[in-house]
C-alpha cells in the first residue's frame, strides 16, 4: 500500500516569494492534516480536513497561508509571501478520522527561506 | 504553552540494554497517548499507543507505561537495537481532538 506522498521534498526560496506544497494521502483516508515542524520541535498542527472541509484551521496564519483539498483527496498548502521564519519541515498526514487513532505521515517538505 | 513535554533531548544506550524515554503532560483531559519514531528525512511513524483507561501496553520489544496521577508516560525498549536509533515523539489527544506533540528525544543505541 502506498504511503502519504508529498512534493517537493526540498524547496529553497527567497523571502517574499510564494511557495506551494502538495500532498496525496493514503487511499481511502478521509482525514488530512498539515503540520509544521520547526527545528528541534515536535510537529504542530496547521489545518485538519475531514474530506474537503477544513474542520480546524485555528493555527493556520491566514494572512499568508492558505490550503485547499479539492474533491477530498489531494491537498495543497501555500505560503504567500514567505518569510524567514517560515523555514521548517511541512508534514502532511492522513488517517481514517480522529476517533480511530493513528495518523500516517508523509516524508515532509523541507522549506528554506533565504 | 507546551502541553506535552519531553525533557530529555537525547539518550544514549548500549545495544541489548533497556532504553527508557519519558514524557510528561499537563492537560488532565488527555485520554489517548501515542509514541512516534522518526528517522532522518522521513516523516514520523506510529509506534505504540495507550488509552487512559490502561496503565500498560506492550508490543514486542516496546512497552508504554502510563501514570495518570503523575501525568507521566514512558516508553521502554528492551532489548535496544542499533536500528532503534531515531527521534522519538510523544503525542497526546483529548477525545476527538487534535494531537499535541512533544519536542522529541533522540535515541542513540551504541553497538
Amino acid at each position: 500500500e502506498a504511503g502519504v506522498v508529498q512534493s517537493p521534498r526540498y524547496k529553497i526560496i527567497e523571502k517574499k516569494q510564494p511557495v506551494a506544497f502538495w500532498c496525496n494521502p493514503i487511499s481511502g483516508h478521509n482525514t488530512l492534516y498539515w503540520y509544521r515542524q520547526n527545528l528541534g520541535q515536535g510537529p504542530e498542527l496547521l489545518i485538519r480536513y475531514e474530506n474537503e472541509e477544513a474542520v480546524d484551521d485555528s493555527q493556520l496564519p491566514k494572512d499568508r497561508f492558505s490550503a485547499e483539498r479539492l474533491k477530498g483527496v489531494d491537498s495543497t498548502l501555500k505560503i504567500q509571501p514567505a518569510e524567514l521564519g517560515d523555514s521548517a519541515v511541512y508534514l502532511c498526514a492522513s488517517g481514517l478520522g480522529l476517533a480511530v487513532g493513528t495518523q500516517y505521515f508523509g516524508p515532509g517538505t523541507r522549506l528554506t527561506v533565504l | 504553552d507546551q502541553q506535552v513535554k519531553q525533557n530529555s533531548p537525547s539518550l544514549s544506550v548500549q545495544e541489548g540494554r533497556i532504553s527508557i524515554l519519558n514524557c510528561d503532560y499537563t492537560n488532565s483531559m488527555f485520554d489517548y497517548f501515542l509514541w512516534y519514531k522518526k528517522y532522518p528525512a522521513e516523516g514520523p511513524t506510529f509506534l505504540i499507543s495507550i488509552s487512559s483507561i490502561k496503565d500498560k501496553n506492550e508490543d514486542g520489544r516496546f512497552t508504554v507505561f502510563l501514570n495518570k496521577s503523575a501525568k507521566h508516560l514512558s516508553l521502554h525498549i528492551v532489548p535496544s537495537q542499533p536500528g532503534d536509533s531515531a527521534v522519538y515523539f510523544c503525542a497526546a489527544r483529548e477525545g476527538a481532538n487534535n494531537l499535541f506533540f512533544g519536542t522529541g528525544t533522540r535515541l542513540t543505541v551504541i553497538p
Side-chain angles (χ1 to χ4, degrees):
Chain A
E1 177 184 279
V4 176
V5 179
Q6 289 188 248
S7 69
R9 293 294 311 277
Y10 304 91
K11 189 74 176 179
I12 301 174
I13 61 171
E14 294 189 345
K15 63 181 180 181
K16 300 185 182 180
Q17 295 298 306
V19 65
F21 314 124
W22 175 79
C23 174
N24 180 242
I26 293 173
S27 177
H29 282 190
N30 60 315
T31 305
L32 185 144
Y33 311 79
W34 282 103
Y35 288 88
R36 176 169 59 189
Q37 185 177 11
N38 293 311
L39 189 64
Q41 301 295 314
E44 295 178 327
L45 183 71
L46 291 173
I47 189 169
R48 173 168 64 94
Y49 282 93
E50 296 290 342
N51 299 305
E52 64 271 16
E53 181 182 359
V55 296
D56 186 349
D57 62 356
S58 58
Q59 301 304 312
L60 189 72
K62 298 181 184 64
D63 56 336
R64 297 182 300 106
F65 285 66
S66 64
E68 61 181 11
R69 191 184 184 198
L70 299 176
K71 301 181 181 179
V73 181
D74 294 2
S75 177
T76 56
L77 177 68
K78 299 178 181 178
I79 309 174
Q80 182 172 12
E83 297 179 352
L84 295 176
D86 295 331
S87 294
V89 175
Y90 291 83
L91 293 161
C92 178
S94 70
L96 290 169
L98 285 174
V100 181
T102 61
Q103 301 175 20
Y104 297 84
F105 284 84
T109 297
R110 180 176 294 278
L111 174 66
T112 302
V113 182
L114 302 175
Chain B
D1 186 30
Q2 195 79 20
Q3 297 191 55
V4 179
K5 301 177 183 178
Q6 294 176 258
N7 294 317
S8 298
S10 63
L11 174 68
S12 292
V13 172
Q14 287 289 136
E15 180 179 3
R17 306 296 290 269
I18 184 171
S19 295
I20 300 177
L21 296 95
N22 294 304
C23 177
D24 297 293
Y25 60 96
T26 58
N27 186 346
S28 59
M29 300 301 292
F30 285 147
D31 57 5
Y32 198 73
F33 304 88
L34 305 90
W35 284 94
Y36 282 81
K37 175 179 178 180
K38 184 182 183 304
Y39 291 118
E42 295 183 12
T45 56
F46 170 72
L47 188 58
I48 192 169
S49 64
I50 188 168
S51 165
S52 61
I53 62 173
K54 296 184 176 181
D55 54 17
K56 177 182 175 181
N57 188 29
E58 190 172 355
D59 183 4
R61 298 185 297 113
F62 302 90
T63 303
V64 56
F65 295 92
L66 176 62
N67 182 334
K68 286 187 295 182
S69 61
K71 295 190 182 69
H72 177 83
L73 66 157
S74 60
L75 174 68
H76 293 209
I77 306 174
V78 183
S80 300
Q81 299 174 354
D84 296 330
S85 297
V87 177
Y88 290 78
F89 290 98
C90 170
R93 193 187 76 196
E94 175 189 347
N97 292 316
N98 301 311
L99 286 177
F100 290 88
F101 285 83
T103 53
T105 297
R106 180 178 301 277
L107 173 66
T108 302
V109 180
I110 304 165

